[in-house]
Amino acid sequence: MTTAQATPEPLLTVRELVKSFGGVRAVDGLSFEVRPGQTVSIIGPNGSGKTTAFNLISGVLRPDSGDITFGGVRIDGRRPELIAELGLARTFQNGRVFGNMTVRDNVLVGMHSRLQAARPLARWRYWPVLHWLPLVAEAVMAIVRPPAVRREEAAFDAEAQELLGIFGERLLPRQQQPAYSLSYANRRRTEIARALALRPRLLLL
């Protein structure tokens, strides 16, 4: 006797997504699902709306209509940083790295939303009256650097080394170089490492 395995619930669900720019409808009724462990591709010629779809999913753009659910939470219209905190990371077609920062620091930026010791009261930043308190608390932690903050920094630095190690000689020997000095391919690798630093549940490439 065999037992049928239950199909996992979709991690990402996009339903009837629409986005227009003036008289041009860049995304017209897009619907698809991504389940845990799946690799899903959106293909099409230049100008077909692929980047617009990614921008809608990641919160860079707001849809005209339709809905996007990630991990059971409606995310259409949410700010990008809130979507990232839910575990959705993305890269960009033209390789958006922080050019004047080192390769290592670019990767560490991807871990910012995971900071705990260095970001006390982080959830308060969405409260209209209290949003300034987390900024003050972060500034104090950056100046004082108590043991918990130093331990967190050391752990994240070790993790950054592991992520750079995925790309071997392409990035590890260059980790202290400014990102603007990299080739296009290595800037792209740096961006992927930064996205992985979020520990995403879903990665848009």
XYZ file of all heavy atoms in Angstrom, residues 61-95:
267
model
N 7.623 48.273 -7.180
C 6.453 48.898 -7.816
C 5.182 48.381 -7.152
O 5.162 47.270 -6.603
C 6.409 48.557 -9.312
C 7.530 49.085 -10.205
C 7.392 48.508 -11.609
C 7.528 50.610 -10.253
N 4.141 49.181 -7.225
C 2.820 48.756 -6.752
C 1.984 48.306 -7.945
O 1.938 48.998 -8.966
C 2.109 49.913 -6.040
C 2.699 50.273 -4.685
C 1.982 51.457 -4.073
N 2.449 51.721 -2.722
C 1.893 51.242 -1.624
N 0.819 50.461 -1.724
N 2.382 51.515 -0.432
N 1.294 47.181 -7.833
C 0.456 46.727 -8.944
C -0.798 47.574 -9.085
O -1.296 48.157 -8.117
C 0.111 45.285 -8.557
C 0.189 45.270 -7.063
C 1.270 46.245 -6.690
N -1.307 47.664 -10.314
C -2.600 48.319 -10.541
C -3.739 47.452 -10.026
O -4.744 47.964 -9.516
C -2.788 48.608 -12.035
C -1.752 49.575 -12.571
O -1.236 50.398 -11.785
O -1.436 49.504 -13.780
N -3.577 46.142 -10.179
C -4.563 45.198 -9.645
C -3.908 43.832 -9.534
O -2.788 43.619 -9.987
C -5.808 45.126 -10.559
O -5.461 44.661 -11.848
N -4.630 42.909 -8.918
C -4.083 41.582 -8.666
C -3.548 41.488 -7.250
O -3.526 42.469 -6.509
N -3.128 40.294 -6.856
C -2.604 40.118 -5.509
C -1.409 39.182 -5.517
O -1.280 38.311 -6.380
C -3.681 39.617 -4.545
C -4.297 38.309 -4.992
O -3.675 37.258 -4.742
O -5.388 38.329 -5.585
N -0.532 39.400 -4.539
C 0.684 38.613 -4.365
C 0.719 38.141 -2.915
O 0.618 38.953 -1.999
C 1.948 39.441 -4.671
C 1.846 40.115 -6.044
C 3.193 38.563 -4.603
C 2.888 41.189 -6.267
N 0.867 36.838 -2.729
C 0.936 36.267 -1.383
C 2.245 35.529 -1.244
O 2.608 34.711 -2.090
C -0.240 35.305 -1.133
O -1.470 35.995 -1.352
C -0.214 34.784 0.288
N 2.963 35.819 -0.165
C 4.247 35.166 0.103
C 4.222 34.601 1.513
O 4.019 35.328 2.484
C 5.403 36.155 -0.051
C 6.751 35.574 0.258
C 7.289 34.573 -0.546
C 7.485 36.004 1.349
C 8.525 34.024 -0.265
C 8.723 35.463 1.644
C 9.252 34.467 0.831
N 4.374 33.281 1.615
C 4.344 32.645 2.925
C 3.040 32.864 3.660
O 3.023 32.973 4.892
N 1.951 32.958 2.916
C 0.645 33.159 3.518
C 0.324 34.596 3.867
O -0.724 34.871 4.458
N 1.197 35.541 3.482
C 1.003 36.959 3.806
C 0.844 37.755 2.507
O 1.648 37.588 1.587
C 2.195 37.514 4.614
C 2.015 38.994 4.906
C 2.387 36.729 5.907
N -0.184 38.598 2.439
C -0.344 39.484 1.279
C 0.770 40.520 1.286
O 0.959 41.230 2.274
C -1.695 40.195 1.320
C -2.878 39.367 0.890
C -2.984 39.234 -0.635
N -3.162 40.491 -1.314
C -4.335 41.065 -1.578
N -5.458 40.489 -1.181
N -4.403 42.207 -2.248
N 1.522 40.604 0.177
C 2.643 41.541 0.126
C 2.499 42.587 -0.961
O 3.338 43.492 -1.038
C 3.987 40.787 -0.058
C 4.006 40.031 -1.395
C 4.263 39.873 1.119
C 5.372 39.451 -1.731
N 1.464 42.505 -1.792
C 1.337 43.511 -2.847
C 1.102 44.875 -2.213
O 0.229 45.044 -1.355
C 0.204 43.164 -3.821
C -1.062 42.706 -3.123
O -1.096 41.540 -2.665
O -2.006 43.494 -3.018
N 1.918 45.833 -2.612
C 1.821 47.174 -2.061
C 2.682 47.410 -0.833
O 2.810 48.547 -0.383
N 3.301 46.367 -0.279
C 4.175 46.557 0.883
C 5.519 47.143 0.451
O 5.949 46.982 -0.691
C 4.432 45.238 1.608
C 3.250 44.703 2.376
C 3.722 43.695 3.402
N 2.624 43.171 4.209
C 2.788 42.606 5.390
N 3.983 42.508 5.927
N 1.747 42.143 6.060
N 6.202 47.769 1.400
C 7.514 48.332 1.117
C 8.537 47.211 0.928
O 8.448 46.149 1.561
C 7.963 49.270 2.236
C 7.064 50.477 2.407
C 7.793 51.606 3.135
N 8.299 51.195 4.437
C 7.626 51.337 5.574
N 6.401 51.845 5.563
N 8.170 50.965 6.720
N 9.546 47.437 0.069
C 10.534 46.383 -0.216
C 11.229 45.835 1.024
O 11.476 44.636 1.118
C 11.527 47.084 -1.153
C 10.745 48.162 -1.810
C 9.761 48.634 -0.779
N 11.562 46.715 1.999
C 12.289 46.229 3.163
C 11.434 45.302 4.016
O 11.945 44.368 4.646
C 12.808 47.404 4.009
C 11.747 48.265 4.658
C 11.293 49.426 3.799
O 11.452 49.352 2.560
O 10.766 50.405 4.371
N 10.114 45.529 4.022
C 9.223 44.644 4.780
C 9.112 43.286 4.092
O 9.055 42.250 4.758
C 7.847 45.283 4.923
C 7.781 46.585 5.719
C 6.361 47.126 5.750
C 8.296 46.376 7.130
N 9.081 43.301 2.770
C 9.029 42.048 2.017
C 10.322 41.274 2.209
O 10.316 40.045 2.391
C 8.762 42.336 0.531
C 7.368 42.955 0.358
C 8.895 41.066 -0.302
C 7.063 43.423 -1.048
N 11.452 41.968 2.208
C 12.739 41.302 2.425
C 12.795 40.650 3.794
O 13.326 39.542 3.954
C 13.877 42.307 2.264
N 12.240 41.311 4.799
C 12.258 40.751 6.147
C 11.427 39.475 6.249
O 11.659 38.647 7.129
C 11.763 41.786 7.150
C 12.758 42.911 7.388
C 12.273 43.916 8.409
O 11.143 43.749 8.922
O 13.019 44.866 8.690
N 10.478 39.300 5.338
C 9.699 38.060 5.311
C 10.487 36.911 4.691
O 10.077 35.750 4.787
C 8.399 38.270 4.531
C 7.351 39.178 5.185
C 6.195 39.427 4.217
C 6.837 38.563 6.485
N 11.628 37.247 4.030
C 12.474 36.203 3.460
C 12.469 36.136 1.954
O 12.809 35.099 1.381
N 12.126 37.228 1.282
C 12.162 37.262 -0.173
C 13.298 38.189 -0.607
O 13.278 39.386 -0.322
C 10.829 37.745 -0.753
C 10.641 37.534 -2.258
C 9.155 37.373 -2.590
C 11.207 38.688 -3.072
N 14.292 37.624 -1.283
C 15.445 38.392 -1.755
C 15.448 38.418 -3.272
O 14.873 37.540 -3.917
C 16.742 37.784 -1.235
N 16.113 39.439 -3.832
C 16.184 39.518 -5.289
C 17.490 40.159 -5.712
O 18.162 40.835 -4.928
C 14.999 40.280 -5.870
C 14.751 41.680 -5.393
C 15.101 42.827 -6.345
N 15.057 42.611 -7.747
C 14.245 43.224 -8.587
N 13.338 44.078 -8.131
N 14.342 43.024 -9.879
N 17.864 39.902 -6.950
C 18.976 40.591 -7.578
C 18.416 41.413 -8.726
O 17.217 41.340 -9.036
C 20.033 39.600 -8.100
O 19.434 38.759 -9.096
C 20.565 38.727 -6.976
N 19.284 42.197 -9.358
C 18.832 43.088 -10.416
C 19.567 42.772 -11.712
O 20.714 42.305 -11.702
C 19.052 44.551 -10.023
C 18.190 44.990 -8.869
C 18.599 44.770 -7.568
C 16.971 45.613 -9.098
C 17.805 45.171 -6.495
C 16.172 46.011 -8.032
C 16.591 45.791 -6.736
N 18.915 43.063 -12.809
C 19.450 42.723 -14.123
C 20.783 43.415 -14.389
O 21.669 42.854 -15.021
C 18.429 43.103 -15.204
C 18.815 42.660 -16.608
C 17.718 42.971 -17.612
O 16.742 43.636 -17.283
N 17.880 42.507 -18.832
N 20.937 44.645 -13.910
C 22.152 45.405 -14.203
C 23.161 45.388 -13.060
O 24.057 46.226 -13.004
C 21.792 46.851 -14.562
C 20.992 47.543 -13.476
O 20.628 46.926 -12.482
N 20.710 48.815 -13.664
N 23.046 44.445 -12.146
C 24.059 44.268 -11.121
C 24.217 45.440 -10.173
O 25.205 46.159 -10.225
